Amino acid sequence: MLEKIIESVNLARLVERHDLLAKCTTESSLGVNRQALSLEDINARKLLIQWAEMIDMQAFTDAASNLFLRYEGKFPDLPPVIAGSHIDSQPTGGKYDGVFGVLSALEVAESFHKNQFKPDHSFEVVCWMNEEGSRFAPGMMGSSVFSGYKSLNDIIDIVDDDGFSIASGIEYVRSALPSVPIREFGFPIKCYLEPHIEQAPFLERADVVIGAVKGMQGKKTFAVTVTGRADHVGTVPLSERDDALLCATQIMHQLYSAVINDDEDVKFTIGKLIVEPNAPSVVPSKVTFSIDLRHPRQSSLDHYESLIIAVISKYSSKKSVKLTPLVDDPVIEFPTELISSIIFAAKELGISSTTILSLAGHDSKFLHKITPTGMIFIPCSEGISHNPAEAVHPDHLFDGTRVLCHTLYHQLQLSR
Ligand SMILES: [Zn+2]
C-alpha cells in the first residue's frame, strides 16, 4: 500500500498549487506579499479549504486563527498526526517559504485519498497563524498560543503599523470563513512534522536533497548600557572625561576577543548601537548596544554567556555598566526517533539525506514543547529566501513530499 501511495504523489499538481497560492499576494509585489490575517491570507485559506474539501477533508480553526485540514482516520479518537507550516510571508517573500510545508502535507492527503487509504490516526494539515511576524511582531504567534507558551490575551492587542489589531484580524478572517468550526487549543497530537525549504545553502552545496533537522540553535540576547557624563569636547581634558562611547568600544573589543575563536558554530553579533546625545561636539553620555549570541550546543551557549558576563562585570565594578538579559531561547533537540525515520524514508526511496541544524526559527520550536516534532528540509537555490528570487528545483519538491509521505505513513499507523 505504501508504495502505491508514494507513487500517487503528483508533482505537476504540487507545482501548480505553489503557483496558484503565489497569486494570493498584494498587487504591487514582485514576489509574494501575503501578510497574516490579510485579504491575501483569506484568499489563500479559501483555496486550501476548497482543495481539502475535494478530498473529503474537513477544515477547522481555533481562536488564534490557525487553520487545520483534517483527513479522518480509522480511529477518530486517537490523537492526530499533524504536518504543515505557514502561509503568511515577508513583504518580499517567495513561493516556497512555509507554503511547501502546507502543500506537501496536502499532497500526502491527496495520495491517501486516491488510494482510499484510511490511516489508524487521523491526519491534519496545519497553517499556523503569523509565523513571519512582519505585519504583527513577534512571529510564530499561532503556534506559540496553540502550544500554551503564550495565551490569546498575550497577542490579541498587538497592532500593525496602521493600528489594526490581531483581534480585529482574527475576526476579519472569521467573518470571511464563517462556516469553519472553532476548536480548542493544545489538543493531544501524536507528532508534528514540518517540511520547509532550508533557507541556507548547505544542502545545495553538499548536493544532498533531504535534511533531517537535528534541532535549532539556542539564542541569548542582551542590552548593554554604559553611562558616562556629557561634556564640552573643546574644553574638558581627555583625562577628566567620563566618555561612555570610549568605555563601550573597549568593552566591545574585549567581547569580540573573548567570544571569537575557531568555533564555527558560535554566532556573536553586536548589531545595534545607540549613542546619546549623538552630537559631534558633546562627549557621549550614554551608549546602549545589543548582543545576539547563538549556538547549537547548550553547554557552549552557556559557556559563551559566562564569558560575556565576565567581561561586563570587569567593567561594571568601576564604571556605570549594566547588562540586561532579553531573550533566552534554549537549544532545541528534536527526538532521534523522528530524525531516524526521516533518514530511513529517504534511504528507502533512494534519495540522499543528511542530518542538519535549523539556523532559522520555525513553528516547530513551539510544537516541540507539546509533541514529538521533526522537520524535513529541502534545498533552495543559493539558500535565498524572504526574496522574490526564492527558487526550489521541482525534483526537490517531489522528493521532499515523498519522504514526508513515507514518514507520515508509519507515524499514522498503530504499531501492531
Ligand atoms: Zn517559514
Side-chain angles (χ1 to χ4, degrees):
M1 185 52 137
L2 174 59
E3 215 163 277
K4 276 181 71 189
I5 291 169
I6 289 179
E7 267 174 29
S8 304
V9 170
N10 183 331
L11 176 61
R13 177 170 51 210
L14 197 56
V15 169
E16 189 196 15
R17 287 183 170 178
H18 278 88
D19 292 340
L20 288 169
L21 274 194
K23 290 189 176 138
C24 303
T25 175
T26 57
E27 264 173 38
S28 55
S29 142
L30 290 173
V32 175
N33 179 6
R34 186 168 50 244
Q35 297 302 312
L37 309 176
S38 65
L39 176 63
E40 295 75 30
D41 184 0
I42 289 171
N43 290 339
R45 286 168 188 248
K46 282 182 176 168
L47 262 184
L48 288 167
I49 293 170
Q50 185 192 323
W51 292 332
E53 286 178 348
M54 274 158 47
I55 52 169
D56 308 325
M57 294 175 90
Q58 198 193 347
F60 292 93
T61 187
D62 60 23
S65 213
N66 296 309
L67 175 67
F68 301 86
L69 307 167
R70 180 175 171 96
Y71 186 87
E72 191 99 311
K74 268 184 216 148
F75 308 105
D77 293 340
L78 289 177
V81 170
I82 294 191
S85 190
H86 61 95
I87 53 168
D88 66 313
S89 80
Q90 290 289 333
T92 57
K95 276 188 213 173
Y96 303 97
D97 178 356
V99 174
F100 169 64
V102 174
L103 290 182
S104 59
L106 188 60
E107 185 56 35
V108 171
E110 290 276 0
S111 302
F112 289 169
H113 182 260
K114 183 167 182 208
N115 291 281
Q116 294 172 347
F117 170 65
K118 238 181 179 320
D120 293 337
H121 290 258
S122 298
F123 171 49
E124 297 193 4
V125 179
V126 67
C127 306
W128 301 112
M129 188 272 285
N130 187 28
E131 191 274 345
E132 296 289 359
S134 65
R135 179 185 184 189
F136 303 100
M140 295 172 236
M141 224 172 236
S143 53
S144 64
V145 172
F146 181 84
S147 64
Y149 181 79
K150 284 183 182 165
S151 75
L152 193 59
N153 282 333
D154 292 336
I155 65 159
I156 51 171
D157 294 331
I158 294 172
V159 291
D160 67 7
D161 290 345
D162 299 325
F164 186 80
S165 69
I166 289 277
S168 314
I170 291 171
E171 190 42 47
Y172 179 50
V173 173
R174 178 102 210 99
S175 61
L177 296 162
S179 61
V180 178
I182 302 179
R183 292 192 308 201
E184 293 298 305
F185 295 125
F187 50 83
I189 296 171
K190 190 193 169 202
C191 66
Y192 173 64
L193 282 164
E194 181 168 6
H196 206 281
I197 59 169
E198 186 197 357
Q199 302 182 278
F202 303 109
L203 287 174
E204 185 179 67
R205 280 185 199 162
D207 199 18
V208 170
V209 177
I210 297 295
V213 180
K214 287 183 286 186
M216 293 181 184
Q217 60 185 353
K219 173 167 108 172
K220 290 177 191 274
T221 70
F222 308 86
V224 181
T225 312
V226 182
T227 310
R229 190 185 64 240
D231 267 316
H232 192 298
V233 299
T235 58
V236 181
L238 292 182
S239 59
E240 290 177 29
R241 293 182 186 183
D242 186 3
D243 184 331
L245 184 56
L246 175 64
C247 179
T249 54
Q250 288 166 345
I251 294 172
M252 285 189 260
H253 178 71
Q254 291 219 2
L255 287 171
Y256 285 125
S257 308
V259 171
I260 297 176
N261 58 34
D262 55 10
D263 175 358
E264 289 204 355
D265 289 332
V266 63
K267 308 274 191 334
F268 172 83
T269 311
I270 297 171
K272 186 176 179 185
L273 186 69
I274 302 166
V275 181
E276 294 172 49
N278 207 24
S281 303
V282 184
V283 173
S285 58
K286 190 174 170 190
V287 171
T288 310
F289 66 89
S290 64
I291 296 176
D292 182 305
L293 175 73
R294 303 180 193 212
H295 204 288
R297 284 184 303 281
Q298 190 65 46
S299 56
S300 302
L301 188 66
D302 295 340
H303 167 68
Y304 287 110
E305 178 188 38
S306 69
L307 296 180
I308 290 169
I309 291 171
V311 168
I312 301 294
S313 44
K314 212 170 81 188
Y315 282 87
S316 57
S317 54
K318 289 172 277 179
K319 291 266 190 184
S320 175
V321 177
K322 201 171 138 223
L323 179 74
T324 311
L326 298 174
V327 170
D328 187 359
D329 278 348
V331 170
I332 287 174
E333 289 175 63
F334 292 138
T336 47
E337 191 226 323
L338 280 176
I339 299 169
S340 318
S341 69
I342 294 164
I343 296 282
F344 175 71
K347 197 165 166 242
E348 288 278 295
L349 297 167
I351 302 166
S352 57
S353 69
T354 183
T355 55
I356 195 167
L357 200 67
S358 172
L359 300 176
H362 297 286
D363 293 304
S364 287
K365 174 174 150 182
F366 291 106
L367 271 293
H368 170 74
K369 294 176 188 292
I370 56 165
T371 188
T373 293
M375 291 193 78
I376 300 170
F377 276 180
I378 58 167
C380 57
S381 178
E382 294 174 50
I384 294 170
S385 68
H386 292 181
N387 185 317
E390 195 178 281
V392 178
H393 195 289
D395 289 353
H396 299 162
L397 294 177
F398 187 52
D399 288 346
T401 305
R402 292 192 304 143
V403 167
L404 174 69
C405 188
H406 191 292
T407 313
L408 281 171
Y409 179 86
H410 291 288
Q411 292 297 329
L412 283 159
Q413 298 298 82
L414 288 168
S415 38
R416 294 192 169 93

